[in-house]
Amino acid sequence: MIGTLLNAATVLVGGLIGLFFGARLPDRMRSTVIAGLGLFTAAIGIQMFLNTQNIIIVLIALLVGAILGEWWQIEAALERLGARLQARFAADGSRGAATFVRGFLTASLVFCVGPLTILGSIQDGLTGDYSLLAVKATLDGFAALVFASTLGVGVLFSILVVVGFQGGISLLATQAQALFTDAMIAEMTAVGGILLLGIAISSLLELKTIRVANFLPGLAVAPLIVALMAAF
């Protein structure tokens, strides 16, 4: 859990710095910065997708994940959580409820989707080695600075998701390590890359609205498909 707590701390510090200096940046500059982060996120997503060994698995995982996500209304649930947090902790409406929820959702997804999240959390929980999460924490800290300067205080509350998601994986590390193969991790990483690309298109570059959170079940579906294929 040390790596997860370190990750949460860097997001908090980076987010606070972003909030402090964000108001001093002109809207035009902040818009350009968030667009740059969007392009970078898209590039990382494409790079992650190229890890796939079977694009059909990724496609099926995305489609099944989307059906499950829409059925369970994951994004709507996260939006309601973000709205409640906004009403409780940012009632002054300085950036508005919509911006708060957008910051919360975007930061939560960016910080929790990726191979470092899965592998780092497993390594931290199983052996106590949090070196991978330390690298991720550094990257997330800088990302939180940029996000908070443009998307506001909602970014800080993504810490709740980071601690819950990564901490949960670390606690289940022994079982996860026994179940996941390299092939499973590769396809899960590829699906995560598509989700990051969706985040870039929807939340950062604002090219098209995509309910990216509803694709999250695909991260679990991908390794399940690999396991089924290996069994048969």
Side-chain angles (χ1 to χ4, degrees), residues 75-227:
E75 179 137 336
L78 287 175
E79 287 178 347
R80 288 194 296 269
L81 175 59
R84 284 197 294 269
L85 292 173
Q86 191 277 335
R88 174 65 178 83
F89 296 101
D92 60 349
S94 57
R95 289 183 180 267
T99 302
F100 183 97
V101 172
R102 180 184 169 206
F104 172 73
L105 286 175
T106 300
S108 296
L109 290 170
V110 169
F111 297 156
C112 291
V113 174
L116 284 180
T117 300
I118 305 297
L119 298 177
S121 297
I122 291 175
Q123 185 182 59
D124 186 18
L126 191 62
T127 67
D129 181 0
Y130 54 89
S131 58
L132 287 178
L133 286 184
V135 173
K136 178 179 180 294
T138 302
L139 297 173
D140 287 354
F142 282 105
L145 189 157
V146 177
F147 279 142
S149 68
T150 55
L151 299 178
V153 71
V155 173
L156 297 180
F157 289 91
S158 65
I159 293 172
L160 300 176
V161 181
V162 170
V163 172
F165 186 67
Q166 290 185 181
I169 293 176
S170 293
L171 292 175
L172 297 173
T174 303
Q175 293 84 349
Q177 184 73 357
L179 293 173
F180 283 88
T181 64
D182 290 341
M184 291 179 179
I185 292 294
E187 302 312 323
M188 191 187 313
T189 298
V191 173
I194 296 296
L195 298 191
L196 283 184
L197 185 58
I199 292 168
I201 292 172
S202 179
S203 296
L204 300 177
L205 299 176
E206 298 183 327
L207 298 178
K208 177 179 175 60
T209 300
I210 302 174
R211 292 186 290 274
V212 180
N214 287 345
F215 287 92
L216 285 174
L219 291 172
V221 173
L224 180 60
I225 294 175
V226 173

Side-chain angles (χ1 to χ4, degrees), residues 26-43:
D27 291 339
R28 183 176 178 180
M29 182 180 295
R30 282 190 276 130
S31 176
T32 301
V33 168
I34 202 69
L37 186 57
L39 292 172
F40 181 78
T41 301

Side-chain angles (χ1 to χ4, degrees), residues 40-62:
F40 181 78
T41 301
I44 292 297
I46 293 172
Q47 183 183 51
M48 289 170 57
F49 170 72
L50 294 177
N51 287 316
T52 184
Q53 300 171 8
N54 189 329
I55 59 174
I56 301 301
I57 292 178
V58 178
L59 175 60
I60 295 174
L62 282 173

